[in-house]
């Protein structure tokens, strides 16, 4: 980003992100909702809910916040009440997206490592309950953020933009809320996903060694049907959670660093400017994570690729008919 003006990078990056992310996530929602990809209803519910939150995040955070802020800075969206509501909504969707990834990782951990709990927990009913609870709690927690903003300017009695009130920095209650907010997203989810993947990977390695010993040399060339059946689920799990960890890593580090050092971006120092750039890069990678999952599904699930190909062929045939007519 150092070679180009920051505004130019943002004005190019975010429209490209929206142009890719919106149709990709819409395709995921349509394809997975049809239930023809060979995935269980439980997994399908989690993946569809994650795609919905990713789509909403791109619409709210990328299109209505970043792109609108760059190209239409004095639009209706910048009026203070609308701006405050928009910020609350963005944080609620981010929380929901992150914790649904945790829920999916935990579900696959139980399915792979805890066969007794799998029957009870890894069900469609539990998935619906978890998705509903995560969505509700995310909205309730982040609704409090509406009250920390005040107008930056008042022009013709109209309040514009969102500035954080001084009370937020001086009140112990708001300071405690800010640390709780930071711990719940992204710190705790990041640690939980790392831990669950480490335990799942360890279980898979131990189980694989045990099966090889039981099979012996005489059956060494035979395919392990159990592992083959679970392989796609394991690859899908590690791909989704691995991309989450990589793309949220910078955001995680910057969030902790900013709160520990209590740095502000308006002091004019080189340190503040470099921290601002670092955090903005973290946001860019965080929003990129909302576009990655569709490509993971296409790369790891053959039936998803087949459904995607059929959908593209159908759309092309419709376009050709319209052009001919």
């Amino acid at each position: 980003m150092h070679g180009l003006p920051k505004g130019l990078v943002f004005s190019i990056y975010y429209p490209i992100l929206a142009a890719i992310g919106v149709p990709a996530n819409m395709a995921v929602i349509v394809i997975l909702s049809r239930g023809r990809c060979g995935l269980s209803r439980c997994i399908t519910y989690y993946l569809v809910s994650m795609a919905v939150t990713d789509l909403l995040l791109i619409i709210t955070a990328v299109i209505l916040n970043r792109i609108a802020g760059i190209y239409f800075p004095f639009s209706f969206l910048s009026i203070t009440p609308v701006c405050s509501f928009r910020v609350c909504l963005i944080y609620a969707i981010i929380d929901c997206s992150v914790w649904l990834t945790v829920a999916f990782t935990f579900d696959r951990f139980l399915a792979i490592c805890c066969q007794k709990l799998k029957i009870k927990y890894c069900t469609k009913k539990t998935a619906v309950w978890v998705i509903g609870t995560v969505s509700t709690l995310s909205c309730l927690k982040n609704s409090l953020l509406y009250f920390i903003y005040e107008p930056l300017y008042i022009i013709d009695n109209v309040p514009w933009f969102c500035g954080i009130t001084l009370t937020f920095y001086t009140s112990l209650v708001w300071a405690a809320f800010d640390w709780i907010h930071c711990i719940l997203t992204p710190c705790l989810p990041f640690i939980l996903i790392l831990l669950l993947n480490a335990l799942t990977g360890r279980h898979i390695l131990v189980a694989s060694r045990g099966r090889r010993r039981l099979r012996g040399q005489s059956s060494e060339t035979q395919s392990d049907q159990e592992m083959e059946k679970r392989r796609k689920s394991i690859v899908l799990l590690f791909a989704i959670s691995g991309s989450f960890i990589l793309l949220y890593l910078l955001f995680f580090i910057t969030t902790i660093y900013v709160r520990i050092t209590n740095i502000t971006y308006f002091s004019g120092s080189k340190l503040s400017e470099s921290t601002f750039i670092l955090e903005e890069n973290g946001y860019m990678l965080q929003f990129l994570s909302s576009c990655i999952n569709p490509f993971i599904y296409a790369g790891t699930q053959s039936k998803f690729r087949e459904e995607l190909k059929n959908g593209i062929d159908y759309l092309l045939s419709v376009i050709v008919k319209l052009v001919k007519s």
Side-chain angles (χ1 to χ4, degrees):
M1 189 184 291
H2 294 287
L4 291 171
K6 294 188 289 290
L8 179 60
V9 173
F10 297 150
S11 64
I12 295 172
Y13 177 78
Y14 288 117
I16 293 175
L17 199 64
I20 296 172
V22 170
N25 281 292
M26 288 181 66
V28 168
I29 294 168
V30 172
I31 292 172
L32 293 181
S33 298
R34 290 163 62 89
R36 297 180 180 178
C37 294
L39 300 170
S40 69
R41 295 296 295 276
C42 176
I43 296 177
T44 300
Y45 273 49
Y46 281 119
L47 297 185
V48 170
S49 66
M50 289 160 63
V52 170
T53 54
D54 285 342
L55 176 62
L56 291 175
L57 185 59
I58 293 170
I59 292 173
T60 55
V62 176
I63 297 176
L64 297 181
N65 188 44
R66 297 301 173 116
I67 295 177
I70 293 170
Y71 292 100
F72 311 101
F74 282 93
S75 68
F76 169 76
L77 295 170
S78 297
I79 297 175
T80 302
V82 180
C83 175
S84 301
F85 175 76
R86 183 161 45 89
V87 172
C88 295
L89 186 60
I90 290 170
Y91 277 108
I93 294 170
I94 289 173
D95 275 15
C96 193
S97 176
V98 169
W99 280 101
L100 285 176
T101 305
V102 175
F104 170 75
T105 306
F106 183 68
D107 177 89
R108 292 300 87 200
F109 165 74
L110 291 181
I112 295 169
C113 304
C114 310
Q115 293 298 310
K116 292 182 179 179
L117 293 176
K118 174 184 176 181
I119 299 172
K120 181 180 179 181
Y121 181 84
C122 302
T123 63
K124 179 182 74 173
K125 182 178 179 181
T126 303
V128 171
W129 183 85
V130 169
I131 293 166
T133 302
V134 167
S135 303
T136 302
L137 292 178
S138 297
C139 291
L140 289 175
K141 179 176 79 74
N142 290 284
S143 63
L144 297 174
L145 293 173
Y146 184 86
F147 302 102
I148 71 172
Y149 293 103
E150 62 181 4
L152 284 179
Y153 310 102
I154 297 179
I155 304 174
D156 296 331
N157 293 323
V158 177
W160 288 95
F161 305 110
C162 295
I164 298 177
T165 61
L166 184 62
T167 309
F168 182 78
Y169 297 104
T170 58
S171 169
L172 291 176
V173 175
W174 280 119
F177 174 81
D178 187 46
W179 272 105
I180 292 171
H181 182 80
C182 173
I183 290 169
L184 290 178
T185 305
C187 298
L188 185 57
F190 195 87
I191 294 169
L192 285 175
I193 290 176
L194 276 174
L195 178 62
L196 289 170
N197 277 292
L199 293 174
T200 303
R202 179 179 176 276
H203 175 85
I204 291 170
L205 289 174
V206 172
S208 298
R209 290 178 191 142
R211 269 191 296 273
R212 280 198 295 268
R213 285 196 298 268
L214 289 173
R215 283 157 56 191
Q217 292 185 348
S218 59
S219 57
E220 214 170 85
T221 58
Q222 296 177 3
S223 63
D224 189 337
Q225 294 182 356
E226 183 182 351
M227 276 302 294
E228 184 63 26
K229 184 179 179 181
R230 298 163 65 185
R231 183 182 63 83
K232 290 185 179 180
S233 178
I234 293 168
V235 170
L236 183 65
L237 166 64
F238 286 153
I240 291 175
S241 54
S243 69
F244 174 87
I245 290 168
L246 288 174
L247 294 175
Y248 266 77
L249 180 60
L250 184 58
F251 176 69
F252 170 75
I253 294 172
T254 309
T255 300
I256 299 297
Y257 175 69
V258 167
R259 277 160 178 77
I260 291 175
T261 56
N262 198 27
I263 290 175
T264 61
Y265 302 136
F266 308 104
S267 62
S269 67
K270 291 183 178 179
L271 181 62
S272 298
E273 183 180 355
S274 62
T275 306
F276 170 78
I277 294 173
L278 187 66
E279 187 165 52
E280 284 301 315
N281 286 335
Y283 285 130
M284 291 170 75
L285 292 176
Q286 180 191 37
F287 297 146
L288 177 61
S289 70
S290 298
C291 301
I292 293 297
N293 283 352
F295 297 96
I296 290 175
Y297 305 150
T300 61
Q301 305 294 310
S302 57
K303 291 186 178 180
F304 181 89
R305 288 195 299 272
E306 184 179 342
E307 288 293 313
L308 180 62
K309 181 178 179 297
N310 292 338
I312 293 173
D313 290 342
Y314 175 75
L315 286 176
L316 290 176
S317 65
V318 170
I319 293 171
V320 169
K321 289 179 181 178
L322 290 173
V323 171
K324 288 182 178 180
S325 61

